[in-house]
Amino acid sequence: MELEVRHLRALCAIADAGSLHKAARQLGMSQPSLTTQLRRIENSLGAELFSRERTGCRPTLLGHSVLSRARPLVAGMAVLVSEARAAADRSAGPRLRIGSTASRALAGWLRRLRERLPGTDISLQMDVSANALLRQVAGGGLDVAFVHEVEGCPLRVPPGLDRRVLVEREPQFISLARDHPAAGSQIVELADLAADRWMIDPTVDGEWDGLRRVLGAAGLNPPVLHGDYLTASSLIAVGEAIAPCQPTSVPREDMVVRPLRDDPLGVRLLLFSRPGAYEGAGIAGVGTGAGAGAGTDAGADGDGPGGAEVYADLEAAYREAALQAVVYRQWLMRNKSPLLHAPAA
């Protein structure tokens, strides 16, 4: 078998993700297919590249050697593809390709962008993995990515990307059945949830590690279910589980959203872009200024032409979603958040 770039890309994904399951999710293939591919690669080289452990996969000594040669090749191919796509984009008309993890701000952001850029083809790609989206931005498959970074679990940011911080620390709330004993409290004590089954999506970068760290610090070891959050909603509604949720989440007749005492769970909301990405969207060059609402450090890490406008639209959309969520709005008022006030024009 002759090694190809796709094989090297798979090896890098396994090493970065630390498990075959996560790597397969990021590569858009099934875990059995990736396992078979890895075996074929190892057979062609005559030795194991990864040691399989209960906690995941770790490169062997040979694996580290192969990866040190593979990464520059994969990166070089990504640059080639990125430059070719950029050349094609210039002749195809203005386009803005957005990637995002889940957020209630997306609808308002897209609406504002379409109003601002009526002749631009704006597309959206969703993914539970922020790291996967950042790799696509770096590789030229996306222009910008709006992602969240779980506290204590830094994202693996490819070099060369511009970054803006939308919210330095967004508290994560909890979703409960409406008849849960703690649902009547305005603020829920973490200790009152010790006997509940928590549900978490392990494919969301950092989510399980972040929750495990917080529960461990509180001396709690509750039963944990792994699954997607669509399934979680149905289990929460009937009292079979509880789950962390974004503060902008909207309650239902059978489910409530509550903040946790002292906000132990938090994420950082970030907007990443490639240098020059906004030029292809038909946005005229704009300086790197822009107000830093929602407690941001906008512009601290650089910004491409037009980035201030795209960021301002996202900031306005997030504020709109935040103020529409009653429980989050109350939290913002208690904490005297600057998010309550729109930045000066």
Side-chain angles (χ1 to χ4, degrees):
M1 172 183 137
E2 184 175 340
L3 288 183
E4 303 173 9
V5 174
R6 63 187 179 93
H7 298 137
L8 303 181
R9 189 177 294 113
L11 296 179
C12 294
I14 295 170
D16 291 340
S19 77
L20 287 167
H21 174 73
K22 289 183 179 179
R25 174 69 181 80
Q26 293 172 7
L27 293 168
M29 59 194 301
S30 68
Q31 182 175 334
S33 296
L34 181 57
T35 300
T36 299
Q37 187 176 93
L38 177 57
R39 288 199 187 109
R40 292 183 62 199
I41 295 171
E42 291 177 328
N43 288 339
S44 71
L45 297 178
E48 286 191 347
L49 300 179
F50 293 91
S51 58
R52 281 69 156 177
E53 303 172 359
R54 287 184 60 189
T55 56
C57 294
R58 293 189 178 185
T60 61
L61 287 176
L62 177 61
H64 280 296
S65 177
V66 171
L67 285 165
S68 68
R69 299 291 187 92
R71 291 188 188 280
L73 295 173
V74 172
M77 180 59 70
V79 171
L80 185 154
V81 172
S82 175
E83 292 178 350
R85 284 174 173 168
D89 289 345
R90 285 193 289 271
S91 62
R95 180 171 68 172
L96 183 62
R97 297 164 298 174
I98 297 171
S100 180
T101 50
S103 173
R104 294 256 172 203
L106 282 176
W109 189 28
L110 291 176
R111 184 184 73 248
R112 287 171 170 82
L113 287 175
R114 295 191 193 284
E115 292 172 353
R116 183 184 297 278
L117 307 168
T120 299
D121 178 17
I122 300 174
S123 62
L124 174 66
Q125 177 178 324
M126 302 294 298
D127 201 306
V128 296
S129 172
N131 286 312
L133 291 170
L134 296 186
R135 287 195 296 271
Q136 289 200 56
V137 174
L142 294 171
D143 298 309
V144 299
F146 174 42
V147 300
H148 70 275
E149 179 181 64
V150 176
E151 195 168 54
C153 304
L155 295 174
R156 296 185 294 274
V157 181
L161 298 187
D162 291 334
R163 185 195 73 164
R164 276 180 172 267
V165 180
L166 178 69
V167 178
E168 183 61 43
R169 190 178 194 273
E170 179 194 68
Q172 298 300 279
F173 289 177
I174 195 78
S175 292
L176 307 160
R178 188 164 289 277
D179 58 358
H180 190 285
S185 303
Q186 292 298 313
I187 300 175
V188 175
E189 303 286 345
L190 195 59
D192 291 340
L193 307 175
D196 287 282
R197 284 180 291 272
W198 290 69
M199 192 155 189
I200 200 78
D201 187 345
T203 64
V204 179
D205 294 330
E207 201 107 322
W208 171 221
D209 290 335
L211 176 61
R212 181 167 49 188
R213 176 181 57 80
V214 168
L215 292 176
L220 303 179
N221 186 28
V224 176
L225 305 176
H226 288 172
D228 64 272
Y229 287 121
L230 181 61
T231 303
S233 295
S234 60
L235 294 178
I236 293 168
V238 296
E240 285 296 315
I242 62 174
C245 67
Q246 297 175 9
T248 51
S249 299
V250 178
R252 306 182 338 189
E253 290 185 0
D254 52 5
M255 188 186 307
V256 300
V257 174
R258 294 288 184 265
L260 291 167
R261 176 76 64 187
D262 298 326
D263 308 308
L265 292 168
V267 303
R268 186 163 58 157
L269 303 183
L270 303 160
L271 180 66
F272 287 92
S273 63
R274 287 182 295 103
Y278 301 111
E279 296 174 4
I283 303 177
V286 177
T288 60
T296 71
D297 64 351
D301 296 316
D303 196 13
E309 292 182 330
V310 172
Y311 174 84
D313 285 340
L314 175 58
E315 186 182 34
Y318 181 82
R319 179 180 296 102
E320 179 180 64
L323 297 183
Q324 286 175 350
V326 175
V327 176
Y328 191 21
R329 187 171 69 243
Q330 293 171 345
W331 183 95
L332 294 169
M333 293 174 66
R334 285 196 303 272
N335 289 273
K336 297 180 174 59
S337 171
L339 189 66
L340 293 168
H341 311 290

